[in-house]
């Protein structure tokens, strides 16, 4: 079939890789460049944390998340990424004065799913054995089955794979005015297809009147003195900071620029993606002073070595979400819409795309 995908961020790329595997011909429409650096999927930390997200999410997110973790290794291989998946678990900790937050967090998880009973509690000695540089924390919980996808590598490598595929036509820097079943309207033109997938995120507001943006902000920090190997979360009454190590692929190699990732790298250093903010706003302007101070002071409290880390980048973006913060699939004849993955993009995208393809009649 001749299929259009409108919006080539995270969901659009996962869709494209699945559809190409089935032998379809694709036309990709995106308002930005094919590199995808403006997409929320590029800004994301790429955490695969179904348990850690469960405290403030529905059980459906948990089930979709577990399925996505099964699907990601094959998707990454289709994208040409053979070293962008990690499943070493997540560390959840808190400062001594915030231990009540930690206990509340675990209690909430255990009330929602039976699997949470298997979450391990670590004392400082056990934590030091697992993550030596975090051993000064008195207590932590270890979510052993969680992991991460290197979001920036996935975006970069999927760009290369899709660009080189003879069955793909990429219409970058193309503003789509509207979508109808089997039709895409853009730049005073209309093009017909056998099927259209709408994965534009916030760009689909002309169809979804309850779609909103949720702003997120992250730092990229580099240090040759810190060696945290697992995604780590610090619970706090005002925010829940995450620190995600990037240790695959180009990270740690003796180079100052990765031609594959299109990301600069300080030789001998290790990169960490640090974030926490969730702001009800569609503002994509640079990071605020308040967010910067809170994030940097919090990450310093997790590991004092971050005091000498280098800030190599800041990223801001807006995640599409509906009022219930749940993803939405709309399937009709010759048109499928996927939207509203909120802050769970990498956790949900493979499973939601699988569901949409299984429910659709495009085959």
């Amino acid at each position: 079939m001749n299929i259009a995908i409108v919006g080539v961020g995270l969901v659009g790329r996962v869709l494209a890789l699945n559809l190409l595997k089935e032998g379809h011909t694709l036309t990709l429409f995106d308002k930005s460049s094919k590199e995808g650096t403006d997409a929320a999927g590029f800004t994301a930390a790429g955490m695969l944390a179904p348990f850690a997200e469960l405290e403030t999410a529905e059980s459906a997110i948990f089930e979709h998340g577990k399925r996505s973790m099964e699907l990601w290794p094959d998707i990454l291989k289709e994208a040409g990424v053979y070293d962008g998946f990690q499943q070493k678990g997540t560390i959840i900790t808190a400062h001594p004065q915030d231990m009540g937050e930690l206990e509340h967090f675990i209690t909430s998880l255990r009330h929602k799913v039976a699997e949470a009973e298997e979450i391990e509690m670590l004392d400082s000695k056990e934590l030091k054995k697992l993550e030596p540089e975090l051993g000064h924390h008195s207590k932590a919980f270890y979510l052993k089955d969680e992991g991460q996808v290197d979001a920036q590598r996935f975006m970069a490598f999927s760009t290369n794979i899709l660009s080189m595929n003879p069955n793909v036509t990429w219409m970058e820097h193309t503003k789509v005015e509207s979508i109808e079943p089997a039709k895409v309207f853009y730049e005073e033109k209309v093009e017909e297809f056998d099927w259209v997938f709408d994965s534009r995120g916030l760009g689909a507001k002309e169809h979804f009147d309850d779609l909103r943006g949720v702003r997120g902000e992250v730092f990229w920090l580099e240090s040759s003195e810190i060696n945290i190997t697992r995604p780590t979360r610090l619970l706090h009454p005002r925010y829940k900071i995450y620190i995600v190590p990037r240790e695959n692929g180009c990270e740690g190699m003796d180079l100052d620029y990765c031609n594959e990732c299109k990301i600069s790298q300080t030789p001998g250093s290790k990169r960490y993606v640090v974030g926490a903010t969730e702001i009800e706003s569609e503002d994509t302007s640079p990071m605020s002073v308040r967010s910067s101070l809170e994030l940097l002071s919090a990450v310093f409290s997790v590991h004092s070595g971050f005091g000498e880390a280098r800030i190599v980048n800041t990223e801001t973006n807006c995640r599409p979400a509906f009022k219930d913060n749940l993803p939405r699939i709309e399937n009709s004849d010759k048109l499928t819409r996927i939207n509203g993955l909120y802050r769970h993009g990498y956790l949900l995208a493979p499973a939601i795309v699988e569901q949409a393809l299984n429910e659709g009649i495009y085959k």
Side-chain angles (χ1 to χ4, degrees):
M1 294 180 70
N2 184 21
I3 295 175
I5 298 175
V6 185
V8 199
L10 170 59
V11 172
R13 289 161 193 260
V14 173
L15 267 169
L17 292 168
N18 275 275
L19 293 168
L20 285 173
K21 193 163 54 173
E22 295 177 358
H24 300 291
T25 299
L26 306 182
T27 300
L28 310 180
F29 292 88
D30 201 274
K31 64 181 181 180
S32 300
S33 71
K34 64 174 65 175
E35 282 74 21
T37 53
D38 291 338
F42 179 83
T43 306
M47 290 180 293
L48 305 179
F51 284 99
E53 294 293 340
L54 186 58
E55 182 199 19
T56 56
E58 302 289 336
S59 58
I61 301 297
F62 179 75
E63 295 302 326
H64 283 312
K66 289 196 300 181
R67 178 57 180 157
S68 288
M69 292 186 73
E70 296 172 352
L71 295 171
W72 263 119
D74 285 340
I75 292 172
L76 289 167
K77 288 177 183 177
E78 291 292 327
V81 185
Y82 293 91
D83 52 8
F85 181 79
Q86 182 208 78
Q87 195 171 1
K88 295 182 179 179
T90 301
I91 300 293
I92 311 284
T93 189
H95 297 310
Q97 67 270 24
D98 299 325
M99 280 299 160
E101 296 288 324
L102 194 60
E103 295 295 341
H104 172 78
F105 177 85
I106 295 300
T107 300
S108 175
L109 265 58
R110 288 172 174 164
H111 282 160
K112 289 190 175 183
V113 294
E115 292 99 317
E117 293 293 336
E118 300 177 8
I119 294 174
E120 300 178 41
M121 194 277 281
L122 307 176
D123 59 25
S124 59
K125 186 176 180 180
E126 292 167 321
L127 178 57
K128 188 171 184 177
K129 185 176 180 180
L130 189 67
E131 284 286 349
E133 298 189 13
L134 297 178
H136 61 284
H137 291 274
S138 61
K139 185 165 71 170
F141 286 93
Y142 177 41
L143 285 60
K144 61 183 176 63
D145 294 324
E146 296 193 337
Q148 61 158 301
V149 169
D150 189 326
Q152 293 73 42
R153 281 181 74 77
F154 172 71
M155 295 296 287
F157 276 65
S158 59
T159 297
N160 294 338
I161 288 291
L162 295 173
S163 297
M164 293 186 297
N165 194 302
N167 292 323
V168 174
T169 300
W170 205 320
M171 305 285 290
E172 59 180 334
H173 303 296
T174 302
K175 181 175 174 54
V176 170
E177 278 89 29
S178 63
I179 298 171
E180 293 180 4
K183 295 180 180 180
V184 177
F185 296 82
Y186 67 99
E187 299 175 353
E188 300 183 354
K189 303 174 186 176
V190 59
E191 193 165 347
E192 295 192 10
F193 297 90
D194 298 317
W195 202 277
V196 177
F197 286 89
D198 181 358
S199 54
R200 289 175 292 168
L202 291 173
K205 277 194 166 185
E206 102 274 339
H207 177 76
F208 297 105
D209 58 10
D210 58 341
L211 188 63
R212 77 188 199 282
V214 181
R215 175 180 167 98
E217 305 166 323
V218 300
F219 279 105
W220 292 4
L221 305 180
E222 283 185 3
S223 174
S224 58
E225 306 298 324
I226 302 169
N227 186 33
I228 298 173
T229 65
R230 293 168 175 81
T232 300
R233 294 188 183 224
L234 177 72
L235 302 189
H236 184 277
R238 292 198 310 276
Y239 49 78
K240 295 174 176 61
I241 186 175
Y242 56 79
I243 303 168
V244 181
R246 291 283 192 249
E247 59 181 356
N248 296 318
C250 64
E251 306 302 335
M253 291 176 63
D254 187 20
L255 46 80
D256 56 14
Y257 188 81
C258 178
N259 288 319
E260 294 172 326
C261 294
K262 306 296 188 290
I263 294 172
S264 61
Q265 174 77 20
T266 303
S269 69
K270 187 171 182 178
R271 178 168 293 154
Y272 297 86
V273 179
V274 178
T277 53
E278 184 178 327
I279 303 166
E280 291 290 335
S281 169
E282 294 184 16
D283 175 22
T284 57
S285 63
M287 190 181 298
S288 68
V289 171
R290 178 176 179 174
S291 294
S292 299
L293 291 172
E294 287 191 343
L295 278 174
L296 292 176
S297 62
V299 75
F300 176 73
S301 71
V302 173
H303 191 305
S304 60
F306 280 110
E308 296 301 320
R310 295 298 181 255
I311 301 169
V312 297
N313 192 22
T314 62
E315 291 281 338
T316 60
N317 219 311
C318 289
R319 290 76 58 94
F322 296 109
K323 289 180 180 178
D324 58 5
N325 292 334
L326 292 175
R328 189 177 299 175
I329 300 169
E330 291 186 359
N331 263 314
S332 59
D333 185 30
K334 298 183 179 180
L335 175 61
T336 297
R337 302 182 191 267
I338 304 173
N339 215 317
L341 272 65
Y342 185 36
R343 67 182 191 190
H344 311 302
Y346 280 83
L347 181 64
L348 296 183
I352 294 300
V353 166
E354 180 184 61
Q355 180 182 337
L357 296 180
N358 288 340
E359 289 177 355
I361 58 174
Y362 76 98
K363 296 180 181 180

